[in-house]
Amino acid sequence: MADLKDFAEQLVNLTVKEVNELATILKEEYGIEPAAAAVAVAAGGGAAGGGDAAEEQTEFDVILKAAGGSKLAVVKLVKELTGLGLKDAKGLVDDAPSTIKEAVSKDEAEGLKSSLEEAGAEVELK
């Protein structure tokens, strides 16, 4: 049991870059789609918590509404921020509105939003 707690602590303390690398490894080597797992965990966690509607929101989804005038810059930034390949990043931008990141902290969400807006994109936090 102590090993699982240590493992959980390691996961919680991962940086954004390390999480992206882990997601790539899970997808390429094991065929696991981390985004789908994150959605399932987030949905399960919210339902299990039965939280109060008055509670302050702590996790946000970063949603790209439109690429704006500088689509290439936005595609490059989405690629960098998500760790996706160029084709996948372009697909996210082309399919806007699309979710760039799910269940991130308020600080991270606001940072992503400001970076994307500086590149010319229209972004929404939910």
Side-chain angles (χ1 to χ4, degrees), residues 9 12 20 22 30 37 45-46 49 53 55 67-68 71 75 83 101 107 121 125:
E9 188 172 328
V12 170
N20 286 332
L22 177 61
Y30 299 98
E55 288 182 24
K71 183 177 171 183
V75 169
K101 291 259 186 161
D107 291 338
L125 301 180

Side-chain angles (χ1 to χ4, degrees), residues 44-122:
D52 188 351
E55 288 182 24
E56 184 177 342
Q57 184 176 353
T58 58
E59 293 185 337
F60 295 84
D61 292 345
V62 180
I63 300 172
L64 177 69
K65 293 179 75 175
S70 185
K71 183 177 171 183
L72 182 59
V74 173
V75 169
K76 287 180 179 179
L77 186 57
V78 167
K79 177 184 179 291
E80 179 183 319
L81 294 173
T82 61
L84 294 172
L86 186 59
K87 182 179 178 182
D88 293 332
K90 182 181 181 302
L92 274 178
V93 173
D94 287 343
D95 295 340
S98 55
T99 303
I100 302 299
K101 291 259 186 161
E102 296 179 328
V104 295
S105 69
K106 183 176 183 177
D107 291 338
E108 183 180 354
E110 288 175 349
L112 293 169
K113 180 180 180 185
S114 65
S115 296
L116 288 163
E117 286 177 340
E118 285 176 18
E122 290 181 40

Side-chain angles (χ1 to χ4, degrees), residues 8-26:
E9 188 172 328
Q10 288 176 339
L11 284 175
V12 170
N13 292 321
L14 291 175
T15 65
V16 173
K17 183 177 180 181
E18 291 169 332
V19 170
N20 286 332
E21 289 174 14
L22 177 61
T24 302
I25 292 168
L26 289 173

